[in-house]
Amino acid sequence: MSTRKHTALPKARILIEALPWLTRHHGKTVVIKFGGNAMVDDDLKAAFAQDVVFLHHAGLKPVVVHGGGPQISAQLDRHGLDSEFKAGLRVTTPEAMDVVRMVLAGQVQRELVGLLNQHGPLAVGITGEDAHTITATQHRPTIDGELVDIGRVGEISAIDTGVVEALLENGRIPVVSSIARAEDDGHVYNVNADTAAAALAAALGAETLMVLTDVEGLYEDWPNSDEVISRLTATELEKLLPDLSSGMVPKMEGCLHAVRNGVQTARVIDGRVQHSILLEIFTDEGIGTMVVPDGRATPGTPGNQGETAV
Protein backbone atom coordinates (compact mmCIF):
# COMPACT_ATOMS: atom_id res chain seq x y z
CA MET A 1 0.00 0.00 0.00
CA SER A 2 2.81 2.40 0.88
CA THR A 3 4.41 1.86 -2.55
CA ARG A 4 1.14 2.68 -4.30
CA LYS A 5 0.76 5.88 -2.29
CA HIS A 6 4.33 6.84 -3.07
CA THR A 7 3.99 6.43 -6.84
CA ALA A 8 0.56 8.08 -7.08
CA LEU A 9 1.38 11.20 -5.07
CA PRO A 10 3.46 13.01 -7.75
CA LYS A 11 0.60 12.47 -10.22
CA ALA A 12 -1.85 14.02 -7.77
CA ARG A 13 0.45 17.01 -7.24
CA ILE A 14 0.69 17.59 -11.00
CA LEU A 15 -3.10 17.53 -11.31
CA ILE A 16 -3.51 19.94 -8.40
CA GLU A 17 -0.95 22.32 -9.92
CA ALA A 18 -3.05 22.39 -13.09
CA LEU A 19 -6.30 23.11 -11.23
CA PRO A 20 -6.11 26.97 -11.16
CA TRP A 21 -5.25 27.01 -14.85
CA LEU A 22 -8.08 24.60 -15.66
CA THR A 23 -10.50 26.81 -13.74
CA ARG A 24 -9.29 29.96 -15.48
CA HIS A 25 -9.39 28.56 -19.01
CA HIS A 26 -12.68 26.66 -18.70
CA GLY A 27 -14.98 27.50 -21.61
CA LYS A 28 -12.34 29.65 -23.33
CA THR A 29 -11.35 29.32 -26.99
CA VAL A 30 -7.72 28.46 -27.75
CA VAL A 31 -6.44 28.64 -31.34
CA ILE A 32 -3.43 26.42 -32.00
CA LYS A 33 -1.28 26.67 -35.10
CA PHE A 34 0.10 23.20 -35.87
CA GLY A 35 3.38 23.11 -37.80
CA GLY A 36 7.08 22.38 -37.87
CA ASN A 37 8.56 19.10 -36.63
CA ALA A 38 5.37 18.37 -34.69
CA MET A 39 3.75 17.91 -38.09
CA VAL A 40 6.18 15.31 -39.51
CA ASP A 41 7.31 13.28 -36.47
CA ASP A 42 4.87 10.46 -35.64
CA ASP A 43 5.45 10.58 -31.87
CA LEU A 44 5.06 14.37 -31.79
CA LYS A 45 1.90 14.18 -33.91
CA ALA A 46 0.37 11.67 -31.51
CA ALA A 47 1.33 13.80 -28.48
CA PHE A 48 -0.15 16.89 -30.15
CA ALA A 49 -3.45 15.10 -30.73
CA GLN A 50 -3.50 13.94 -27.08
CA ASP A 51 -2.88 17.51 -25.89
CA VAL A 52 -5.70 18.95 -27.99
CA VAL A 53 -8.13 16.26 -26.86
CA PHE A 54 -7.07 16.87 -23.24
CA LEU A 55 -7.85 20.59 -23.64
CA HIS A 56 -11.24 19.68 -25.05
CA HIS A 57 -12.10 17.32 -22.19
CA ALA A 58 -10.78 19.87 -19.67
CA GLY A 59 -13.51 22.28 -20.80
CA LEU A 60 -11.56 24.45 -23.24
CA LYS A 61 -12.53 25.00 -26.87
CA PRO A 62 -9.48 24.23 -29.05
CA VAL A 63 -9.39 25.23 -32.72
CA VAL A 64 -6.51 23.86 -34.81
CA VAL A 65 -5.15 25.71 -37.86
CA HIS A 66 -2.50 24.02 -39.95
CA GLY A 67 -0.28 24.55 -42.95
CA GLY A 68 1.91 21.87 -44.47
CA GLY A 69 5.18 23.29 -45.73
CA PRO A 70 7.28 20.08 -45.69
CA GLN A 71 4.50 17.98 -47.19
CA ILE A 72 3.78 20.57 -49.91
CA SER A 73 7.47 20.76 -50.86
CA ALA A 74 7.69 16.96 -51.07
CA GLN A 75 4.59 16.71 -53.25
CA LEU A 76 5.70 19.56 -55.54
CA ASP A 77 8.99 17.72 -56.00
CA ARG A 78 7.11 14.55 -56.97
CA HIS A 79 5.22 16.56 -59.58
CA GLY A 80 8.43 18.09 -60.93
CA LEU A 81 7.49 21.58 -59.69
CA ASP A 82 10.03 23.87 -58.05
CA SER A 83 9.66 25.18 -54.50
CA GLU A 84 10.57 28.85 -54.59
CA PHE A 85 10.27 31.39 -51.78
CA LYS A 86 10.23 35.18 -51.90
CA ALA A 87 9.88 37.42 -48.84
CA GLY A 88 9.48 34.26 -46.74
CA LEU A 89 6.40 33.12 -48.72
CA ARG A 90 5.99 30.27 -51.17
CA VAL A 91 5.65 31.36 -54.80
CA THR A 92 2.39 29.64 -55.76
CA THR A 93 1.67 29.14 -59.46
CA PRO A 94 -1.77 27.82 -60.51
CA GLU A 95 -0.20 24.34 -60.86
CA ALA A 96 1.41 24.63 -57.42
CA MET A 97 -1.92 25.81 -55.95
CA ASP A 98 -3.58 22.58 -57.07
CA VAL A 99 -0.90 20.65 -55.17
CA VAL A 100 -1.19 22.92 -52.10
CA ARG A 101 -4.94 22.41 -51.97
CA MET A 102 -4.62 18.64 -52.39
CA VAL A 103 -1.94 18.29 -49.70
CA LEU A 104 -3.54 20.58 -47.10
CA ALA A 105 -7.16 19.44 -47.41
CA GLY A 106 -6.58 15.88 -48.61
CA GLN A 107 -3.48 14.76 -46.74
CA VAL A 108 -2.40 16.84 -43.74
CA GLN A 109 -5.90 17.69 -42.53
CA ARG A 110 -7.16 14.13 -42.98
CA GLU A 111 -4.28 12.69 -40.98
CA LEU A 112 -4.72 15.21 -38.17
CA VAL A 113 -8.48 14.67 -38.02
CA GLY A 114 -7.85 10.93 -37.90
CA LEU A 115 -5.39 11.25 -35.00
CA LEU A 116 -7.81 13.39 -33.01
CA ASN A 117 -10.72 11.07 -33.73
CA GLN A 118 -8.87 8.08 -32.31
CA HIS A 119 -10.02 9.59 -29.00
CA GLY A 120 -13.68 9.96 -29.94
CA PRO A 121 -15.97 11.60 -32.54
CA LEU A 122 -14.43 15.02 -32.02
CA ALA A 123 -12.59 16.58 -34.95
CA VAL A 124 -14.13 18.04 -38.11
CA GLY A 125 -11.94 19.27 -40.95
CA ILE A 126 -12.75 22.38 -42.97
CA THR A 127 -10.78 24.72 -45.19
CA GLY A 128 -10.96 28.50 -45.34
CA GLU A 129 -13.09 28.03 -48.47
CA ASP A 130 -15.90 26.41 -46.50
CA ALA A 131 -18.76 28.76 -45.59
CA HIS A 132 -16.51 31.73 -46.47
CA THR A 133 -14.45 31.10 -43.33
CA ILE A 134 -11.37 32.82 -44.82
CA THR A 135 -11.58 35.30 -47.71
CA ALA A 136 -8.47 36.75 -49.32
CA THR A 137 -7.14 39.00 -52.04
CA GLN A 138 -3.85 38.49 -53.85
CA HIS A 139 -0.85 39.34 -51.71
CA ARG A 140 2.01 41.16 -53.42
CA PRO A 141 5.02 41.58 -51.13
CA THR A 142 7.46 44.46 -51.52
CA ILE A 143 11.01 43.36 -52.34
CA ASP A 144 13.70 46.02 -52.84
CA GLY A 145 11.03 48.68 -53.04
CA GLU A 146 8.95 46.95 -55.73
CA LEU A 147 5.71 44.98 -55.57
CA VAL A 148 6.32 41.39 -56.64
CA ASP A 149 3.82 38.88 -58.04
CA ILE A 150 4.19 35.56 -56.17
CA GLY A 151 1.08 33.95 -57.62
CA ARG A 152 -1.84 32.50 -55.67
CA VAL A 153 -0.73 33.75 -52.27
CA GLY A 154 -3.54 35.39 -50.36
CA GLU A 155 -3.82 38.32 -48.01
CA ILE A 156 -6.74 37.81 -45.64
CA SER A 157 -9.51 40.34 -46.15
CA ALA A 158 -12.32 38.79 -44.09
CA ILE A 159 -13.02 36.02 -41.58
CA ASP A 160 -16.46 34.48 -41.07
CA THR A 161 -16.41 32.47 -37.84
CA GLY A 162 -19.93 31.05 -38.22
CA VAL A 163 -19.08 27.45 -39.09
CA VAL A 164 -16.21 27.30 -36.56
CA GLU A 165 -18.45 28.61 -33.77
CA ALA A 166 -21.19 26.16 -34.75
CA LEU A 167 -18.73 23.26 -34.50
CA LEU A 168 -17.48 24.47 -31.11
CA GLU A 169 -21.05 24.77 -29.83
CA ASN A 170 -21.63 21.21 -31.00
CA GLY A 171 -18.69 20.01 -28.90
CA ARG A 172 -16.36 19.44 -31.87
CA ILE A 173 -12.75 20.36 -32.56
CA PRO A 174 -12.47 22.35 -35.83
CA VAL A 175 -9.35 21.61 -37.89
CA VAL A 176 -8.85 24.40 -40.42
CA SER A 177 -6.63 24.22 -43.52
CA SER A 178 -5.08 27.57 -44.47
CA ILE A 179 -6.67 27.92 -47.90
CA ALA A 180 -8.86 30.93 -48.67
CA ARG A 181 -11.57 31.78 -51.16
CA ALA A 182 -10.90 34.79 -53.33
CA GLU A 183 -12.79 37.98 -52.64
CA ASP A 184 -12.69 39.21 -56.21
CA ASP A 185 -11.40 36.86 -58.91
CA GLY A 186 -12.83 33.37 -58.38
CA HIS A 187 -9.48 31.84 -57.46
CA VAL A 188 -8.40 29.97 -54.37
CA TYR A 189 -5.44 31.30 -52.39
CA ASN A 190 -2.67 29.79 -50.33
CA VAL A 191 -2.58 31.69 -47.01
CA ASN A 192 0.28 31.59 -44.52
CA ALA A 193 -0.97 29.35 -41.69
CA ASP A 194 0.55 31.57 -38.95
CA THR A 195 -1.34 34.55 -40.37
CA ALA A 196 -4.55 32.54 -40.74
CA ALA A 197 -4.38 31.28 -37.15
CA ALA A 198 -3.85 34.81 -35.81
CA ALA A 199 -6.73 36.25 -37.86
CA LEU A 200 -9.05 33.45 -36.77
CA ALA A 201 -8.02 33.84 -33.10
CA ALA A 202 -8.82 37.57 -33.24
CA ALA A 203 -12.14 37.03 -35.02
CA LEU A 204 -13.19 34.36 -32.51
CA GLY A 205 -12.18 36.50 -29.53
CA ALA A 206 -9.95 33.63 -28.43
CA GLU A 207 -8.29 33.64 -25.04
CA THR A 208 -4.98 32.40 -26.42
CA LEU A 209 -3.15 31.89 -29.71
CA MET A 210 -0.47 29.18 -29.59
CA VAL A 211 2.01 28.81 -32.46
CA LEU A 212 4.07 25.62 -32.58
CA THR A 213 7.46 26.08 -34.17
CA ASP A 214 10.90 24.44 -34.39
CA VAL A 215 12.71 26.74 -31.98
CA GLU A 216 12.44 27.25 -28.22
CA GLY A 217 10.81 30.65 -28.63
CA LEU A 218 11.95 34.14 -29.55
CA TYR A 219 15.67 34.49 -28.84
CA GLU A 220 16.97 37.60 -27.11
CA ASP A 221 20.11 38.05 -29.21
CA TRP A 222 20.33 35.30 -31.83
CA PRO A 223 22.84 33.97 -32.91
CA ASN A 224 25.01 35.44 -30.13
CA SER A 225 22.81 33.99 -27.39
CA ASP A 226 20.24 31.23 -27.05
CA GLU A 227 18.44 32.98 -24.19
CA VAL A 228 14.71 32.91 -24.88
CA ILE A 229 12.53 35.94 -24.13
CA SER A 230 9.82 34.50 -21.88
CA ARG A 231 7.45 37.47 -22.06
CA LEU A 232 7.14 40.74 -23.95
CA THR A 233 4.48 43.31 -24.73
CA ALA A 234 3.05 44.15 -28.15
CA THR A 235 5.12 47.34 -28.39
CA GLU A 236 8.31 45.53 -27.36
CA LEU A 237 7.67 42.91 -30.04
CA GLU A 238 6.94 45.53 -32.69
CA LYS A 239 10.39 47.05 -32.12
CA LEU A 240 12.05 43.66 -32.64
CA LEU A 241 10.20 42.71 -35.84
CA PRO A 242 12.59 44.36 -38.36
CA ASP A 243 15.53 42.31 -37.06
CA LEU A 244 13.85 38.88 -36.97
CA SER A 245 14.66 36.03 -39.34
CA SER A 246 12.25 35.69 -42.26
CA GLY A 247 10.77 32.45 -40.88
CA MET A 248 9.88 34.04 -37.55
CA VAL A 249 8.35 37.19 -39.03
CA PRO A 250 4.89 35.78 -39.94
CA LYS A 251 4.70 33.98 -36.58
CA MET A 252 5.52 37.07 -34.54
CA GLU A 253 3.44 39.37 -36.77
CA GLY A 254 0.57 36.96 -36.14
CA CYS A 255 1.12 37.16 -32.39
CA LEU A 256 1.20 40.95 -32.59
CA HIS A 257 -2.02 41.07 -34.62
CA ALA A 258 -3.74 38.73 -32.17
CA VAL A 259 -2.95 40.61 -28.96
CA ARG A 260 -3.77 43.95 -30.59
CA ASN A 261 -7.17 42.60 -31.59
CA GLY A 262 -8.58 41.19 -28.38
CA VAL A 263 -6.63 37.96 -27.80
CA GLN A 264 -5.32 37.89 -24.22
CA THR A 265 -2.01 36.14 -24.91
CA ALA A 266 -0.12 34.79 -27.90
CA ARG A 267 2.59 32.21 -27.42
CA VAL A 268 5.32 30.76 -29.61
CA ILE A 269 6.27 27.34 -28.25
CA ASP A 270 8.67 24.55 -29.18
CA GLY A 271 6.74 21.90 -31.07
CA ARG A 272 9.76 19.56 -30.82
CA VAL A 273 8.92 19.00 -27.14
CA GLN A 274 6.28 16.36 -26.50
CA HIS A 275 3.17 17.78 -24.81
CA SER A 276 4.49 21.34 -25.17
CA ILE A 277 0.91 22.67 -25.25
CA LEU A 278 0.06 21.23 -21.84
CA LEU A 279 3.41 22.35 -20.42
CA GLU A 280 2.73 25.88 -21.59
CA ILE A 281 -0.86 26.21 -20.43
CA PHE A 282 -0.99 24.18 -17.24
CA THR A 283 2.35 24.55 -15.44
CA ASP A 284 3.86 27.36 -13.39
CA GLU A 285 7.00 27.55 -15.50
CA GLY A 286 5.60 27.44 -19.03
CA ILE A 287 7.86 27.24 -22.05
CA GLY A 288 8.44 29.43 -25.09
CA THR A 289 7.69 33.13 -25.56
CA MET A 290 4.46 34.83 -24.50
CA VAL A 291 3.25 38.10 -26.04
CA VAL A 292 0.72 40.17 -24.10
CA PRO A 293 -1.16 43.39 -24.90
CA ASP A 294 0.42 46.65 -23.77
CA GLY A 295 -0.46 47.49 -20.20
CA ARG A 296 -1.16 43.90 -19.15
CA ALA A 297 -0.04 42.91 -15.67
CA THR A 298 2.84 40.44 -15.63
CA PRO A 299 1.35 36.97 -15.52
CA GLY A 300 2.25 34.97 -12.46
CA THR A 301 0.24 32.81 -10.14
CA PRO A 302 -3.46 32.62 -10.92
CA GLY A 303 -4.25 34.63 -7.81
CA ASN A 304 -2.40 37.74 -8.98
CA GLN A 305 -4.60 40.78 -8.55
CA GLY A 306 -5.05 42.79 -11.71
CA GLU A 307 -4.28 39.83 -13.90
CA THR A 308 -6.91 38.60 -16.29
CA ALA A 309 -6.20 35.27 -17.94
CA VAL A 310 -2.92 33.89 -19.15
Side-chain angles (χ1 to χ4, degrees), residues 6 8 20 27 34 62 96 160-161 179 184 186 230 238 254 267 270-271 302:
H6 175 71
F34 178 59
D160 185 329
T161 60
I179 308 164
D184 46 12
S230 61
E238 193 169 36
R267 304 139 183 269
D270 193 344

Short mmCIF file of all heavy atoms in Angstrom, two decimals, residues 6 8 20 27 34 62 96 160-161 179 184 186 230 238 254 267 270-271 302:
data_model
loop_
_atom_site.label_atom_id
_atom_site.label_comp_id
_atom_site.label_asym_id
_atom_site.label_seq_id
_atom_site.Cartn_x
_atom_site.Cartn_y
_atom_site.Cartn_z
N HIS A 6 3.12 6.12 -2.69
CA HIS A 6 4.33 6.84 -3.07
C HIS A 6 4.33 7.18 -4.57
O HIS A 6 4.66 8.28 -4.98
CB HIS A 6 5.56 6.00 -2.71
CG HIS A 6 6.85 6.60 -3.18
ND1 HIS A 6 7.39 7.72 -2.59
CD2 HIS A 6 7.69 6.24 -4.18
CE1 HIS A 6 8.52 8.03 -3.22
NE2 HIS A 6 8.72 7.14 -4.17
N ALA A 8 1.72 7.30 -6.63
CA ALA A 8 0.56 8.08 -7.08
C ALA A 8 0.64 9.55 -6.67
O ALA A 8 0.08 10.42 -7.33
CB ALA A 8 -0.72 7.47 -6.53
N PRO A 20 -5.77 25.55 -10.94
CA PRO A 20 -6.11 26.97 -11.16
C PRO A 20 -6.15 27.33 -12.63
O PRO A 20 -6.97 28.15 -13.05
CB PRO A 20 -4.97 27.72 -10.44
CG PRO A 20 -4.37 26.72 -9.51
CD PRO A 20 -4.55 25.39 -10.15
N GLY A 27 -14.05 26.86 -20.69
CA GLY A 27 -14.98 27.50 -21.61
C GLY A 27 -14.35 28.48 -22.58
O GLY A 27 -15.03 29.06 -23.43
N PHE A 34 -0.65 24.45 -35.83
CA PHE A 34 0.10 23.20 -35.87
C PHE A 34 1.08 23.25 -37.03
O PHE A 34 0.68 23.47 -38.17
CB PHE A 34 -0.91 22.06 -36.05
CG PHE A 34 -0.32 20.69 -36.15
CD1 PHE A 34 0.45 20.17 -35.13
CD2 PHE A 34 -0.58 19.90 -37.26
CE1 PHE A 34 0.96 18.88 -35.22
CE2 PHE A 34 -0.09 18.61 -37.36
CZ PHE A 34 0.69 18.10 -36.33
N PRO A 62 -10.62 24.10 -28.13
CA PRO A 62 -9.48 24.23 -29.05
C PRO A 62 -9.93 24.28 -30.51
O PRO A 62 -10.85 23.58 -30.92
CB PRO A 62 -8.65 22.97 -28.77
CG PRO A 62 -9.62 21.98 -28.22
CD PRO A 62 -10.70 22.75 -27.54
N ALA A 96 1.00 24.86 -58.81
CA ALA A 96 1.41 24.63 -57.42
C ALA A 96 0.20 24.73 -56.49
O ALA A 96 0.10 23.99 -55.51
CB ALA A 96 2.48 25.63 -57.01
N ASP A 160 -15.09 34.77 -41.51
CA ASP A 160 -16.46 34.48 -41.07
C ASP A 160 -16.36 33.28 -40.12
O ASP A 160 -16.03 32.17 -40.54
CB ASP A 160 -17.34 34.14 -42.27
CG ASP A 160 -18.81 33.95 -41.88
OD1 ASP A 160 -19.06 33.49 -40.74
OD2 ASP A 160 -19.69 34.21 -42.71
N THR A 161 -16.62 33.51 -38.85
CA THR A 161 -16.41 32.47 -37.84
C THR A 161 -17.62 31.55 -37.65
O THR A 161 -17.59 30.65 -36.80
CB THR A 161 -16.07 33.11 -36.47
OG1 THR A 161 -17.17 33.95 -36.08
CG2 THR A 161 -14.80 33.92 -36.54
N ILE A 179 -6.35 27.58 -46.51
CA ILE A 179 -6.67 27.92 -47.90
C ILE A 179 -7.82 28.91 -47.83
O ILE A 179 -8.72 28.76 -47.00
CB ILE A 179 -7.12 26.67 -48.69
CG1 ILE A 179 -6.10 25.54 -48.54
CG2 ILE A 179 -7.33 27.01 -50.17
CD1 ILE A 179 -6.64 24.20 -48.96
N ASP A 184 -12.39 38.45 -55.00
CA ASP A 184 -12.69 39.21 -56.21
C ASP A 184 -12.49 38.50 -57.54
O ASP A 184 -13.02 38.94 -58.54
CB ASP A 184 -11.84 40.50 -56.23
CG ASP A 184 -10.38 40.22 -55.87
OD1 ASP A 184 -9.98 39.03 -55.83
OD2 ASP A 184 -9.64 41.19 -55.62
N GLY A 186 -12.43 34.76 -58.19
CA GLY A 186 -12.83 33.37 -58.38
C GLY A 186 -11.76 32.34 -58.11
O GLY A 186 -12.00 31.14 -58.24
N SER A 230 10.99 35.23 -22.38
CA SER A 230 9.82 34.50 -21.88
C SER A 230 8.53 35.31 -22.03
O SER A 230 7.45 34.74 -22.20
CB SER A 230 10.01 34.09 -20.42
OG SER A 230 10.19 35.24 -19.62
N GLU A 238 6.95 44.73 -31.46
CA GLU A 238 6.94 45.53 -32.69
C GLU A 238 8.33 46.10 -32.98
O GLU A 238 8.76 46.15 -34.14
CB GLU A 238 5.92 46.66 -32.55
CG GLU A 238 5.60 47.36 -33.84
CD GLU A 238 4.41 48.29 -33.70
OE1 GLU A 238 4.27 48.91 -32.62
OE2 GLU A 238 3.64 48.39 -34.66
N GLY A 254 1.85 37.54 -36.52
CA GLY A 254 0.57 36.96 -36.14
C GLY A 254 0.28 37.16 -34.67
O GLY A 254 -0.84 37.52 -34.28
N ARG A 267 1.38 32.90 -27.86
CA ARG A 267 2.59 32.21 -27.42
C ARG A 267 3.23 31.50 -28.60
O ARG A 267 2.54 30.87 -29.41
CB ARG A 267 2.24 31.16 -26.36
CG ARG A 267 1.48 31.73 -25.14
CD ARG A 267 0.39 30.76 -24.74
NE ARG A 267 -0.42 31.26 -23.63
CZ ARG A 267 -0.16 31.01 -22.36
NH1 ARG A 267 0.89 30.29 -22.03
NH2 ARG A 267 -0.94 31.47 -21.41
N ASP A 270 7.82 25.52 -28.49
CA ASP A 270 8.67 24.55 -29.18
C ASP A 270 7.89 23.27 -29.45
O ASP A 270 7.66 22.47 -28.55
CB ASP A 270 9.91 24.27 -28.32
CG ASP A 270 10.98 23.53 -29.09
OD1 ASP A 270 10.67 22.97 -30.17
OD2 ASP A 270 12.14 23.50 -28.62
N GLY A 271 7.50 23.08 -30.69
CA GLY A 271 6.74 21.90 -31.07
C GLY A 271 7.57 20.63 -31.08
O GLY A 271 7.03 19.54 -31.29
N PRO A 302 -2.09 32.29 -10.55
CA PRO A 302 -3.46 32.62 -10.92
C PRO A 302 -4.13 33.59 -9.97
O PRO A 302 -5.10 34.22 -10.32
CB PRO A 302 -4.17 31.26 -10.91
CG PRO A 302 -3.08 30.26 -11.14
CD PRO A 302 -1.87 30.85 -10.46
#
